[in-house]
Structures are given as C-alpha cells and as structure tokens.
Amino acid sequence: MKAEGTIDQQTRHGKLGLSDAQAIEIYRYMMMARKFDERSLLLQRAGKINFHVSGVGQEAAQVGAAFALDREKDYFLPYYRDYGFVLSVGMTARDLMLSAFAKAEDPNSAGRQMPGHFGSKRLRIVTGSSPVTTQVPHAVGVALAAKMKKQELVSFVTFGEGSSNQGDFHEGCNFAGVHKLPVIIMCENNQYAISVPVHKQLSGKISDRALGYGFPGIRVDGNDVLEVYAAVKEARERAIRGEGPTLIEAMVYRLSPHSTSDNDLAYRTKEEVDANWEKDGLPKYKQYLIDCGIWNEEQDQALQKECTEIMKEATEYADNAPYPSADDLLKHVFAGDGEDVQ
C-alpha cells in the first residue's frame, strides 16, 4: 500500500493535485451519503420519518464538486438531493437525521421544513426554499455581492435538469453572464423530472445553453467523481480570475424513485434502472482506488461498518431529541411589535 499523504503524478487524482489521503476521503463521503440514504429509506418505511428524497446515484457529482471548492470561503446553494455535497462541506450525519426527524435541534430549519432544505450560516450554505430553481438567482446575488466587495470567493449552485426550464434559471444565467460574476452553476441531470423523461423535457444539451449567455458550458460524466472535480476546479479558477460563470451539466441517473411517495416503475422499466446501476459512481470509484493500490476490500468493509455505525448513532440521537415546542412555532415566521420581534 502507498503512503496516504503522497501525491502520485501517475494517477488521475495525483495529476489533479489530490493526495492519496484526499482521494480516499472523497470515497468516504460518497459512502457516508449512500449510507444516509439507505438508513433514511428504512426509517421512512418503518414510519419513523415521514418523507425522504433520495440522492442515490448522484454522490459522485456532489462530492467531486464539493472537494473542488474552498470550503472555508465559498458559498453554497445546494438542492434537495445533495446529501453528499452538504456532508462534504461540513454537515454531520446527526444534522441530517435531526432534519429528517423534524426535531428542534435541526440546524437547517429547527424542524420547520421538509428534509433536503439545507441551510447553515456557519457553513455558508444559503437556505433553500421549496419552489425549485429559486436558488439560482440567489447564487447569482451572492456572486454579485462578492464581486462588489472584491472578495476572492465563488458561489456554487446545483439543481436538477427539470429546473433548467424554469425562468429563474434563465434570468440567473443572463444576469451572471452580463456582469461576469463568480458563480458556478451545476445541473445534476438525473434524466427524470419526477416522472417526465429527459427527452420530453429538453431539446439539446443544457450545457449548450450557456453559449446564449456568453460563458462556457461543459457536460461531464457525473458518475466519474474525478471528472466532476476537474471541471469544478477549472470553473472556480476561471471565476477567481474574473472571467465569469461556468455552467456544468453533470450527467447522472436517479437510481431511486423520485421520493418515498413515488412509484418509479410506473414510468420507467426495471431493466432501465438495472442497466444504470451498472454505471453507479460509488463502486466505480472504489475499483479505481483499488487499481491505484491505495484501497482494498478489507478497508472497504471497515469503512462501510464505520459509516453504518455513524448513521445508527445519528438516528438514535435524532429519534430521542425533542420536537419544537408550541411556544417556538411562530419564531422567525411572524414579527411582533418592538421588543417582541423574534
């Protein structure tokens, strides 16, 4: 086995400036996200939580992007499937479970929102709202503020391909292009807007739409974590140089139903889903690490056990945590008079 801290320029990750330890850390967060999804599905089926929207199949795009950003400076506007992303930038399994259980300690909304509505002032995750795509103009606004303040940072926003047909997407792209703002706009194209397949949503590539707004657009294999990392890294460097936004279309596949309220086999075949499991980015990256000589099956089993235990502990903590009290229901919702403003 190679030394974990070394950078081997003969490997793909080494050529991107990632050490062996960083390459393994990327895999760890992908595994954490997968285990969170698996545990959440079991909890919903057992009646412990009400609802879950899965990110299975999109972890490579999410974690690859997160590792290419500056997790101490940049601002993040993820969408509701981005568990791998928010875990990578600093949220914990306990944070996500508290949100899933809608408990008072939930750092996202104190139990007021559905899961997947991420928000953290500490981590610079800008709170998302339920209407899809509203985060795109918000990200552009963050980038405008950064440019006006001459801050060396970028804002990064994600969304699904169905969202790319909303006006917010186009207005955000237009404004970002006109003002050459430091924003990275990434679509996780998972092939389905709930039950509508991509060929009934779009004509052409989403990435090509960037041309109309005067900045680069690129399509990448979202199942290849290092390809996503490279694209986001380059986009960030462009933005910091003052060259404006980049639109990235990460091609993934939603391996799970849209949500726990959805029967995906009503609109797609099991054969189609099974074929896409063969392209899953998680085992694909695991095999890459093994081929590089920095990972093995024994380590993998240990990691899976560790992540499972983390999710178990987070579940037990969230399950036993208190719900929001009746006295707090209107806090941060309605304003009172004078000193009563909350």
Side-chain angles (χ1 to χ4, degrees), residues 111-143:
R112 291 174 174 79
Q113 268 281 26
M114 291 188 298
H117 291 68
F118 309 111
S120 171
K121 184 176 181 180
R122 177 177 64 87
L123 298 173
R124 296 169 312 287
I125 299 174
V126 180
T127 301
S129 60
S130 293
V132 297
T133 332
T134 53
Q135 69 270 27
V136 175
H138 294 167
V140 171
V142 171

Side-chain angles (χ1 to χ4, degrees), residues 74-75 139-148 151-157 176-177 179-185 235-236 238-246:
D74 296 338
Y75 280 77
V140 171
V142 171
L144 176 63
K147 184 172 183 177
M148 292 173 68
Q151 295 174 320
E152 194 171 279
L153 60 85
V154 305
S155 67
F156 176 82
V157 60
H179 297 281
K180 298 188 72 173
L181 298 180
V183 57
I184 301 169
I185 303 165
R236 189 180 189 278
R238 282 193 68 257
I240 293 299
R241 291 195 300 265
E243 297 175 19
T246 302

Side-chain angles (χ1 to χ4, degrees), residues 161-162 165 189-193 195-204 206 219 249 251:
E161 84 287 346
N165 299 315
N189 187 339
N190 67 15
Q191 316 297 307
Y192 284 92
S195 61
V196 182
V198 69
H199 69 271
K200 292 186 177 180
Q201 302 175 51
L202 306 167
S203 177
I206 292 171
R219 174 182 276 192
E249 181 182 11
M251 301 302 295

Side-chain angles (χ1 to χ4, degrees), residues 97-113:
M97 282 300 178
L98 285 165
S99 179
F101 278 84
K103 294 301 180 76
E105 292 180 56
D106 164 31
N108 298 281
S109 68
R112 291 174 174 79
Q113 268 281 26

Side-chain angles (χ1 to χ4, degrees), residues 34 90 255-256 275 308:
R34 181 64 60 89
L255 292 170
S256 61
T308 299

